Amino acid sequence: MTPGERDARNAARIVSGCFLLSAAGAIALIVVYWRGGQPQLEGTFLAVAFLSLGIGFVVWAHRLLPNTPRVEPRPPLGTTPEERAELIDDLDRGGVLERRRFLLGALTSALGAIGVSLLFPIRSLGPQPGNALDHTPWKKGMRVVTSDGEAVTAKSVPSDGLVTVFPEGFPDSADGQAVLMRVDPSLLEGARGGSEWAPDGLIAFSKVCTHAGCPVGLYQSSIHQLLCPCHQSAFDVLRGAEPTTGPADRALPQLPLMIDGDGVLRARGDFSSPVGPRTWNLS
Ligand code: FES
């Protein structure tokens, strides 16, 4: 075997190795995605798939294809039998044609696996939400609990702070989370729902900001303002959590409450309106 043939064979091994590594990266990406996904791993495997594919192409172009300068005399423009024989020889050089089948097979595997992995994100689109976003887990009579699942009693709510609460059985509910506060009941006269929705001055609103969905987790009890730290929207607790400043343009939905015979807080039903930003449904 001549040195040129040996070099071509090594190059072919590198190229096919790159393509097979690319296919392996794409298959690993599919597996990670299928098992629930992990953004860092998915990014790594996607990079491996494309990087090895690119390196394979570069090595193929530089070491397996003819790359010497060619000078074609003019005239004559026709080719002699010797030139034709040379061309055929070039196409066959280094045994590339014999290895081409294997290289093309490896390349097809890499492109096929990458193609399939690119189709998978379509699955993430999922079914259309329909009106599912208009409802949360809150139902009439459902107990109000903390994130630990402890039932919240009327007595346990402080007058100078807020408690984050959830519907019983849904401790991690993103759309069901609410902030619960205690205010002087006389200040709520004329407010939406009045004492019927806020017994003994216990009042609750959705914790999901109506601007862009951040958690509204700050409460200034002295001025009865709920604050969203993301873009500084403020909501007036005494006026149905209407926005008073900041980019939010819609009130926080209120959770109507009642107190049962054991002093435990329960919901009278779902929030007064759909929670969160409405930019997805402005029609
Ligand atoms: S998300 Fe609350 S103000 Fe922007």
Side-chain angles (χ1 to χ4, degrees), residues 4-268:
E5 285 174 334
R6 198 172 305 118
D7 184 52
R9 175 182 286 186
N10 288 340
R13 281 195 188 129
I14 293 172
V15 172
S16 53
C18 286
F19 289 160
L20 293 177
L21 181 62
S22 173
I27 290 168
L29 169 62
I30 293 170
V31 172
V32 171
Y33 179 85
W34 190 262
R35 291 168 66 91
Q38 210 278 354
Q40 286 79 12
L41 268 184
E42 286 171 4
T44 303
F45 288 134
L46 192 62
V48 168
F50 278 112
L51 206 58
S52 351
L53 188 67
I55 292 173
F57 278 132
V58 170
V59 175
W60 191 341
H62 278 269
R63 294 183 54 186
L64 290 176
L65 296 180
N67 57 6
T68 50
R70 294 227 154 251
V71 178
E72 187 175 1
R74 296 171 32 190
L77 292 176
T79 54
T80 63
E82 291 75 29
E83 286 170 332
R84 284 197 289 277
E86 249 179 55
L87 176 64
I88 290 170
D89 191 41
D90 273 349
L91 291 175
D92 279 338
R93 67 177 260 191
V96 170
L97 283 181
E98 291 147 31
R99 285 186 285 276
R100 184 169 294 165
R101 227 164 136 185
F102 180 62
L103 289 178
L104 285 178
L107 175 60
T108 307
S109 319
L111 291 179
I114 289 176
V116 172
S117 72
L118 292 180
L119 287 179
F120 266 63
I122 294 174
R123 183 170 161 264
S124 296
L125 295 175
Q128 288 192 350
N131 65 355
L133 298 175
D134 290 345
H135 304 287
T136 72
W138 288 106
K139 298 264 182 311
K140 183 172 183 181
M142 196 172 253
R143 294 208 300 180
V144 174
V145 300
T146 63
S147 57
D148 298 331
E150 296 279 325
V152 177
T153 59
K155 278 193 209 153
S156 65
V157 183
S159 55
D160 57 353
L162 61 75
V163 184
T164 297
V165 295
F166 298 86
E168 186 170 33
F170 299 88
D172 297 323
S173 173
D175 57 352
Q177 59 184 322
V179 284
L180 171 65
M181 293 136 294
R182 178 189 294 282
V183 299
D184 181 344
S186 66
L187 298 176
L188 290 174
E189 282 168 17
R192 181 179 53 185
S195 59
E196 196 178 336
W197 283 15
D200 288 354
L202 296 168
I203 191 163
F205 295 97
S206 165
K207 189 170 180 174
V208 185
C209 184
T210 51
H211 172 231
C214 285
V216 180
L218 304 174
Y219 178 51
Q220 270 188 290
S221 57
S222 56
I223 55 172
H224 305 104
Q225 297 267 318
L226 278 166
L227 302 169
C228 176
C230 280
H231 312 102
Q232 285 73 51
S233 283
F235 303 88
D236 186 347
V237 169
L238 302 182
R239 288 196 307 116
E242 286 290 341
T244 55
T245 182
D249 61 356
R250 202 168 64 85
L252 296 171
Q254 186 168 352
L255 181 68
L257 297 173
M258 59 185 176
I259 302 172
D260 70 12
D262 297 326
V264 172
L265 283 169
R266 292 179 183 268
R268 284 185 180 275

